[in-house]
Amino acid sequence: MKFFFCFLLGAGMTAAGLISVSSAELRVPEIPSEPALRPVSGSLKAGYSTNYEFRGLIPGGCNPVAPLRLDLRSDLNDRYSLILALNEEIFLGHPAVDLENETMVDVGLQRKFGKGSYAALSFRANDGGLAGFASERLFGNGGTTYETALILRHDLGFLPGFYAQGSAAYSFYGITGWWFDMCTGSDFRMTENLYLGFKFGAVLSSSYWPSGSNGWQSLYFRVTASYRLSGHVFMEPFVGLHWLGKGAHGVNRVYGRMLVKGNSWVTGVSLVYAF
């Protein structure tokens, strides 16, 4: 744990020295619409969700969470940007599965390919949450995991804000194995202050869980509204539905209890400051 938080401090200092960046979550950050390069841009988000989510999976008996997230980006030139994401999932109450609050740092490089195509390569460190629990209980390692991730995104021109995206993440410490997330969706402007987005995706794993627990993990669908309250401040309610896949059912069989839930609704709301 001490090493992990030393790593977080070092990553933060490095990012500050490089002026800062934005996120490489399951989605590549938007490129600013104005032609001028932006040395600092991003968002700060705090909210509430009825469930903790991990790669489309929802742990069984998990209490509501208060997610906090900081996304930063620094444009190096018209093609390359440094990106940084810091995320904290605070569990409100004690989950039925013995999970600890999840802390994540994601540092990487984003590149633009022509109009509407982007790629990001990043390094992620994760402490706690479902990954940390599985690392400790299923594999006897520590509660910290490390991985590298590649995210590809292409904006499609035939619908407003429509895009297709895929990501591949390889975990090499704590747990070893692959995660794949493929999604499509749209983010578009409804009125001067109201934005609407939807996303549909599928999540798969390979060699990540014990034998018989990999393959299709989940399908998910999410709708998000974003309403400008004032200036750069937005309110973002959302609702999502998750369908459990064959591989995730295998995780429950291997563990001998309901580690992850079946079909589940998730709702929540966030307050966002964009800069």
Side-chain angles (χ1 to χ4, degrees), residues 75-154:
D75 294 333
L76 300 177
N77 52 43
D78 59 352
R79 288 186 178 271
Y80 289 94
S81 300
L82 293 172
I83 52 178
L84 170 68
L86 300 174
N87 190 72
E88 180 77 15
E89 298 279 353
I90 303 172
F91 296 110
L92 304 176
H94 188 72
V97 178
D98 190 21
L99 301 178
E100 297 179 353
N101 294 340
E102 182 183 65
T103 303
M104 182 274 289
V105 60
D106 191 340
V107 182
L109 182 68
Q110 176 182 303
R111 188 185 192 280
K112 180 179 179 180
F113 293 91
K115 184 179 180 180
S117 295
Y118 315 100
L121 181 64
S122 68
F123 170 80
R124 297 173 179 169
N126 199 94
D127 184 69
L130 185 57
F133 173 87
S135 178
E136 290 179 321
R137 301 302 175 87
L138 297 180
F139 299 96
N141 297 320
T144 302
T145 61
Y146 298 100
E147 67 183 32
T148 56
L150 174 65
I151 303 122
L152 302 174
R153 171 186 164 110
H154 179 65

Side-chain angles (χ1 to χ4, degrees), residues 171-261:
S171 181
F172 58 86
Y173 180 86
I175 301 177
T176 57
W178 290 90
W179 278 93
F180 303 95
D181 189 322
M182 298 161 290
C183 67
T184 186
S186 181
D187 294 303
F188 54 94
R189 189 171 185 170
M190 298 285 290
T191 68
E192 182 179 356
N193 293 315
L194 178 62
Y195 301 79
L196 186 65
F198 71 87
K199 180 167 66 172
F200 178 76
V203 182
L204 301 94
S205 68
S206 176
S207 304
Y208 190 90
W209 301 110
S211 178
S213 302
N214 289 288
W216 171 37
Q217 295 296 319
S218 74
L219 292 176
Y220 62 89
F221 179 76
R222 174 165 298 207
V223 177
T224 303
S226 181
Y227 183 77
R228 187 192 306 272
L229 297 177
S230 176
H232 298 280
V233 180
F234 296 81
M235 182 71 73
E236 288 189 355
F238 72 87
V239 59
L241 178 60
H242 296 251
W243 295 272
L244 202 62
K246 181 179 179 181
H249 283 295
V251 172
N252 289 337
R253 289 195 299 270
V254 169
Y255 187 64
R257 61 182 294 189
M258 185 181 288
L259 181 60
V260 290
K261 286 183 178 181

Side-chain angles (χ1 to χ4, degrees), residues 12-92:
M13 294 175 65
T14 301
L18 293 174
I19 309 181
S20 272
V21 291
S22 188
S23 87
E25 183 204 10
L26 291 179
R27 179 175 170 193
V28 177
E30 299 286 352
I31 293 293
S33 57
E34 60 269 26
L37 299 180
R38 303 182 67 182
V40 180
S41 61
S43 65
L44 178 63
K45 179 184 294 188
Y48 169 87
S49 177
T50 55
N51 292 91
Y52 160 67
E53 302 172 62
F54 174 79
R55 302 188 192 275
L57 300 177
I58 301 173
C62 192
N63 291 39
V65 295
L68 303 172
R69 186 176 180 92
L70 174 65
D71 291 316
L72 297 170
R73 184 179 68 221
S74 176
D75 294 333
L76 300 177
N77 52 43
D78 59 352
R79 288 186 178 271
Y80 289 94
S81 300
L82 293 172
I83 52 178
L84 170 68
L86 300 174
N87 190 72
E88 180 77 15
E89 298 279 353
I90 303 172
F91 296 110
L92 304 176

